[in-house]
Amino acid sequence: AQTVTQSQPEMSVQEAETVTLSCTYDTSESDYYLFWYKQPPSRQMILVIRQEAYKQQNATENRFSVNFQKAAKSFSLKISDSQLGDAAMYFCAYRSGGTGTASKLTFGTGTRLQVTL
Amino acid sequence: DAGITQSPRYKITETGRQVTLMCHQTWSHSYMFWYRQDLGHGLRLIYYSAAADITDKGEVPDGYVVSRSKTENFPLTLESATRSQTSVYFCAGTPGRKNTEAFFGQGTRLTVV
């Protein structure tokens, strides 16, 4: 079974600075997808960024980028120019490239990000 | 709008009662999921469904029952609620394409007293 590990329960960053959230995963598959979700106090789960395992290039979305190290099974999220609105819980998630019952998402335990002035 | 609607948003129930959490989707998601979110555990999968009449257990299925007679509805029933089932419950859906993220409902905060 696949597992996702987020080893940082809490992180703090000053406004306008850069922060990196860590995520590692364990799988024997070669075809899979990785996601970062943001959960603000409203509880809504919001997709931040996604990465296909077969792509070498790291995904980027505006101020958000990932460092995808397939061999090391690492998938960290970098937030540049942090803003107060970035304060939230962040979850790393894994999805198998298979179909049927293999399509479930497996989540890490989350990292709570605080943004200070 | 992610096309996933959960009801109710908040629910308080007593130990031993049966409770049903509703999930309705309007985007023709093939796959649907129920997760529970607890501090220190992240989101854990309870049950999932690949299509109508096809369901399977996730990581923490004990004490829960699901059904999916129609593609758009995926209710979760707690047969006899226990205090350990106090949690926030999320319903999610995703199309059949493998690279698509899951879309989530707003969540239901369930308290069992």
Side-chain angles (χ1 to χ4, degrees), chain A residues 37 39 43-44 95 97 100 105, chain B residues 31 35 37 98 100 102 106:
Chain A
Y37 280 87
Q39 187 183 43
R43 279 203 324 243
Q44 182 65 47
R95 187 181 190 192
L105 273 173
Chain B
Y31 298 98
Y35 289 90
Q37 182 178 9
K98 294 185 292 184
T100 305
Q106 290 279 59

Side-chain angles (χ1 to χ4, degrees), chain A residues 31 33 35 37 39 42-45 47 50 52 91 95 97-101 103-105 107-109, chain B residues 9-10 31 33 35 37 40-43 45 48 56 88 90 94 97-102 104 106-107 109:
Chain A
D31 182 20
Y33 304 85
F35 306 90
Y37 280 87
Q39 187 183 43
S42 67
R43 279 203 324 243
Q44 182 65 47
M45 294 288 286
L47 178 71
R50 86 185 84 187
E52 290 88 342
F91 291 99
R95 187 181 190 192
T99 55
T101 57
S103 293
K104 59 185 183 292
L105 273 173
F107 286 86
T109 53
Chain B
R9 291 291 307 278
Y10 301 89
Y31 298 98
F33 311 87
Y35 289 90
Q37 182 178 9
H41 292 279
L43 280 80
L45 184 65
Y48 56 107
D56 206 349
V88 178
F90 284 97
T94 184
R97 298 190 303 276
K98 294 185 292 184
N99 66 338
T100 305
E101 74 274 19
F104 286 79
Q106 290 279 59
R109 180 177 292 279

Side-chain angles (χ1 to χ4, degrees), chain A residues 37 95 103, chain B residues 1-5 23-33 48-54 68 70-74 91-97 100-105:
Chain A
Y37 280 87
R95 187 181 190 192
S103 293
Chain B
D1 178 13
I4 304 281
T5 302
C23 178
H24 177 75
Q25 59 119 335
T26 57
W27 281 15
S28 300
H29 295 300
S30 300
Y31 298 98
M32 296 191 76
F33 311 87
Y48 56 107
S49 169
D53 296 322
I54 300 175
R68 197 173 177 197
K70 294 183 177 181
T71 303
E72 61 267 28
N73 295 321
F74 190 42
C91 179
T94 184
R97 298 190 303 276
T100 305
E101 74 274 19
F103 296 89
F104 286 79

